[in-house]
Amino acid sequence: MKFLDEAKVYIRSGDGGAGAVSFRREKFIEFGGPDGGDGGRGGDVWVEAVNGLNTLIDFRYQQHFKAKTGTHGMGRNRTGAKGSDVTLKVPVGTQIFEEDNETLIVDMVAEGQRYRLAAGGNGGFGNAHFKSSTNQAPNWANPGLEGEEKTIWLRLKLIADAGLVGLPNAGKSTFLAACTRARPKIANYPFTTLHPNLGVATVDGQEFIIADIPGLIEGAHEGVGIGDRFLGHVERTRVLLHLVSAQEEDVAKAYKTVKHELEAYGGGLEDKPQIVALSQIDVLDDEELKAKSKALAKACGSPPLLLSAVTNRGMTEALRALRDVISAAKAGEEQA
């Protein structure tokens, strides 16, 4: 399945049905009077967050959504039926923006959440509505009101507990594949990962979701490389695992490059709890490992975790560190 995290959509709610002009005509009834019914209300446009979706790919093939017009009123005081609604089904974590792509309409953060994007037009009154003691035979009715129309943007931000960040080839996809059942593409060249991947990790009987995004390079916030387009997918995470490859000549520089890009992007990423790990340590001997670990500790201000997804060294410790931060964050949210 293709990954698509942004889509532009046109929506239009249904027009209201027109009221009817009708007079009662029955044998042996001399004064029938008006009996035109009201028009039905137009259909609404809704958005609903559903389980089982993790991409907006469906909106690449359909960008126009129109609700049905309400049924017109009829004689014998029959009110028209309401027009059928239309519902946009989106993944949990989708944000809906106005046409300017900046004004947030709604953030769909819970499964089953529904929101009305456009209300249908009211139906028009039939001529029976206008009869009175001084106007006993009105011969007019109201047309239905027009529905709303607008263009909106859908932007998906995956909901995960932990996010993996780092330079290309830092071992993020290998880490995800080693601790979850996700199967991201892994190869020995930069930008193997072209779109975010999700996996469910389990440690000591507890589960949490990890998001892996494409690697960042210097200037990503200005669009260099794949750019910072996918950083929105780790905005909702409670903790970041910053992987620095042991194959880097200057691990301190590698750490600072990604740190700078996170700060330049904003979105609260610079304030998130961050666990730093030296990955791919199976390629180093003890002396090199000690030197690079010391250099990275000096750059980040604390001793980094030492990881090797290939030999499984340090993986459990890393997962437990992530779990502890996630559990503490959840506990704080519940108390608030």
Side-chain angles (χ1 to χ4, degrees):
M1 180 183 290
K2 296 277 187 182
F3 185 86
L4 187 71
D5 64 349
E6 192 170 71
K8 189 178 183 180
V9 173
Y10 168 84
I11 60 173
R12 193 184 199 288
S13 58
D15 297 338
V21 176
S22 174
F23 292 90
R24 185 178 178 190
R25 291 289 185 267
E26 293 183 44
K27 194 174 184 180
F28 306 122
I29 297 179
E30 185 176 359
F31 302 105
D35 67 350
D38 300 338
R41 182 181 175 84
D44 302 327
V45 180
W46 294 81
V47 61
E48 180 180 2
V50 299
N51 190 18
L53 293 178
N54 56 12
T55 173
L56 298 174
I57 187 64
D58 292 342
F59 298 98
R60 173 166 289 175
Y61 306 109
Q62 182 181 0
Q63 293 94 28
H64 289 227
F65 294 84
K66 298 179 182 179
K68 297 294 185 182
T69 300
T71 305
H72 301 318
M74 292 168 281
R76 302 174 68 179
N77 290 309
R78 287 176 292 177
T79 300
K82 181 182 184 300
S84 300
D85 295 341
V86 64
T87 301
L88 284 64
K89 296 185 183 296
V90 299
V92 177
T94 302
Q95 293 180 320
I96 316 295
F97 289 88
E98 296 283 5
E99 189 172 6
D100 60 9
N101 209 359
E102 294 179 357
T103 306
L104 180 66
I105 300 174
V106 62
D107 195 356
M108 309 297 288
V109 296
E111 183 181 344
Q113 180 181 350
R114 282 172 60 86
Y115 182 84
R116 188 169 68 179
L117 295 172
N122 286 326
F125 291 132
N127 67 334
H129 182 87
F130 299 104
K131 67 182 178 182
S132 67
S133 59
T134 57
N135 185 12
Q136 297 183 8
N139 61 354
W140 67 87
N142 283 348
L145 297 181
E146 290 188 354
E148 303 175 29
E149 63 177 337
K150 63 174 71 174
T151 299
I152 59 174
W153 283 90
L154 311 181
R155 191 184 305 162
L156 175 60
K157 291 184 179 179
L158 296 176
I159 294 182
D161 298 304
L164 304 179
V165 296
L167 293 175
N169 277 22
K172 300 183 297 298
S173 296
T174 307
F175 180 92
L176 186 70
C179 64
T180 73
R181 297 182 66 181
R183 292 295 174 263
K185 184 177 180 181
I186 300 172
N188 189 26
Y189 56 84
F191 299 116
T192 312
T193 301
L194 297 176
H195 58 77
N197 294 296
L198 289 179
V200 180
T202 304
V203 60
D204 300 332
Q206 289 185 260
E207 293 184 344
F208 56 90
I209 301 173
I210 300 178
D212 165 33
I213 64 169
L216 301 171
I217 61 174
E218 188 171 357
H221 68 281
E222 298 174 344
V224 178
I226 295 181
D228 62 2
R229 175 181 171 187
F230 295 113
L231 278 176
H233 294 290
V234 293
E235 276 187 31
R236 302 183 192 269
T237 60
R238 295 180 171 91
V239 59
L240 298 177
L241 179 60
H242 185 163
L243 296 181
V244 180
S245 174
Q247 299 185 58
E248 294 286 344
E249 288 292 330
D250 189 343
V251 292
K253 181 182 178 182
Y255 166 80
K256 291 176 181 176
T257 297
V258 174
K259 186 172 185 293
H260 172 70
E261 295 306 320
L262 295 177
E263 291 173 348
Y265 173 82
L269 293 183
E270 68 278 8
D271 299 323
K272 286 189 181 297
Q274 192 174 125
I275 297 172
V276 181
L278 187 63
S279 62
Q280 302 171 338
I281 60 172
D282 51 285
V283 301
L284 301 180
D285 57 33
D286 292 341
E287 187 176 336
E288 290 177 317
L289 177 60
K290 186 176 180 180
K292 290 195 174 183
S293 175
K294 185 177 180 180
L296 184 55
K298 185 177 180 181
C300 66
S302 62
L305 297 176
L306 303 179
L307 299 180
S308 172
V310 174
T311 63
N312 207 37
R313 179 179 171 185
M315 294 292 290
T316 302
E317 291 77 3
L319 292 177
R320 284 174 177 162
L322 292 173
R323 178 207 58 194
D324 291 344
V325 177
I326 293 167
S327 298
K330 287 182 177 179
E333 291 171 4
E334 291 174 358
Q335 290 178 358

